[in-house]
Amino acid sequence: MDKYRIDSHKLMFHVDRVNAWINEREVYPIYVEISPSGACNHRCTYCALDFMEYKPRFLKTELLKKRLTEMGQLGIKSIMYAGEGEPLLHKDIADIVNHTRKSGIDVAITTNGVLLNKELTDSILANVSWIKVSINGVTKGTYAKIHQSNPEDLNRVIENMAYAAKIKRRKSYSCALGMQLLLLPENCDEVIGLAKKARDIGMDYLVVKPYSQHPFSKTTKYKNIRYRKYLYLADELAVLNTDKFNVIFRINTMKKWDAGAPDYEHCYALPFWAYIDSLGGVWSCSAYLSDGRFRIGNIYQDSLRDIFSSQKRKKLARWAKDKLNTEKCRVNCRMDEINRYLWSLKHPPEHANFI
């Protein structure tokens, strides 16, 4: 059971924002992704943002905290720290995370987990909604080959997450702890083993997801991968589910990847989210990070109220809604399911009144 709706979406729980969009009123994002660090301690073979080149740049803490306070006031509901680099490389990440929650915003982290040590876990776990670590193998050889990292990092990640699970239980924290594996030919034989390891150390879930080719990525190694031959894993993984642990095998997303281009013509989702890069650039779409049309401002130069209310953002959203050709977009992009939902609202099927 995918109780977190990871293989779907949750926009229907934000009726007020959807109604504002339908009635063409101003809509601030519900969700923002922030990259506090441009640097990364791994060089994963599948990395979608390799074209950003892992530069050692970091958002300025005090300015970011000021903008986080502002985001809370604007009604942004959630922030995920991830991005073009490893977020835990930011020296003030604990302060940033805790200030985010203090600002009334739900916090999540996607990380490779190597730096999630005991001190950091103790500092942030009470204030985080979920932490998901990318772990793409259960043996050192496979893990190191895909992450292009020190093989010992695998043990560090497992130890770090086991400790987080222990603290969560001891202090009754609500933070969901998960692992995520990108299903590739190199690790398909290790999925079952990783699921067992995740269950045994106290994870809440393991996500198994497909690859998605970023249009600007230097990496093209997996662009022709097909998931039909891996779908049998869904049944084998399901038997490992318990009342405390679940494998979320993203079969819906895998089937969409094999099918190719989406069945909606334009992009409706831009008003509902934003991405902030490690230089402070604010983007309406992370699939177009090198395309200046999608850059709507910079947090070092303007307030987020001004950025989100700007004519550039409004003009971009109208253009994406009316003219953007989604056949050229990233298959299974972050907003794919939301776009499918919004497209159906604007283009209801016949007999829609027979509920």
Side-chain angles (χ1 to χ4, degrees), residues 28-39:
Y28 288 139
I30 298 168
Y31 163 70
V32 177
E33 291 185 9
I34 298 180
S35 180
S37 164

Side-chain angles (χ1 to χ4, degrees), residues 21 26 28 43 64 69-70 120 132 134 236 252 271 296 323 328 335 342 346:
W21 174 79
E26 186 170 60
Y28 288 139
R43 293 292 185 272
L64 177 56
T69 299
E70 184 185 0
L120 180 58
K132 184 164 56 185
S134 177
E236 294 190 8
N252 179 44
I296 57 174
K323 297 181 179 180
K328 298 180 180 180
M335 295 291 110
L342 295 173
K346 287 288 190 177

Side-chain angles (χ1 to χ4, degrees), residues 208-270:
V208 181
K209 64 177 286 188
Y211 176 75
S212 176
Q213 181 68 47
H214 194 292
F216 300 137
S217 179
K218 296 178 182 179
T219 299
T220 59
K221 180 178 181 179
Y222 304 108
K223 68 177 183 179
N224 294 318
I225 190 172
R226 293 295 176 264
Y227 283 95
R228 191 175 300 108
K229 65 180 180 180
Y230 300 121
L231 299 184
Y232 73 92
L233 286 168
D235 292 334
E236 294 190 8
L237 289 164
V239 302
L240 300 176
N241 292 338
T242 70
D243 59 342
K244 296 181 179 179
F245 174 76
N246 190 37
V247 180
I248 301 166
F249 189 80
R250 297 191 62 177
I251 192 167
N252 179 44
T253 308
M254 291 181 192
K255 289 179 177 178
K256 288 187 297 180
W257 169 256
D258 284 0
D263 56 4
Y264 46 88
E265 297 176 7
H266 307 301
C267 179
Y268 289 170
L270 298 192

Side-chain angles (χ1 to χ4, degrees), residues 21 26 48 68 75 89 106 124 172 230 246 254 257 276 293 337:
W21 174 79
E26 186 170 60
L68 289 168
L89 281 170
D106 292 340
I124 68 173
S172 299
Y230 300 121
N246 190 37
M254 291 181 192
W257 169 256
I276 300 176
R293 294 176 299 172
E337 283 294 323

Side-chain angles (χ1 to χ4, degrees), residues 307-325:
I307 292 171
F308 291 144
S309 299
S310 67
Q311 286 302 312
K312 182 170 184 179
R313 180 174 183 253
K314 294 174 183 177
K315 183 178 179 180
L316 174 61
R318 287 194 298 268
W319 174 80
K321 181 172 70 72
D322 297 331
K323 297 181 179 180
L324 176 64
N325 181 3

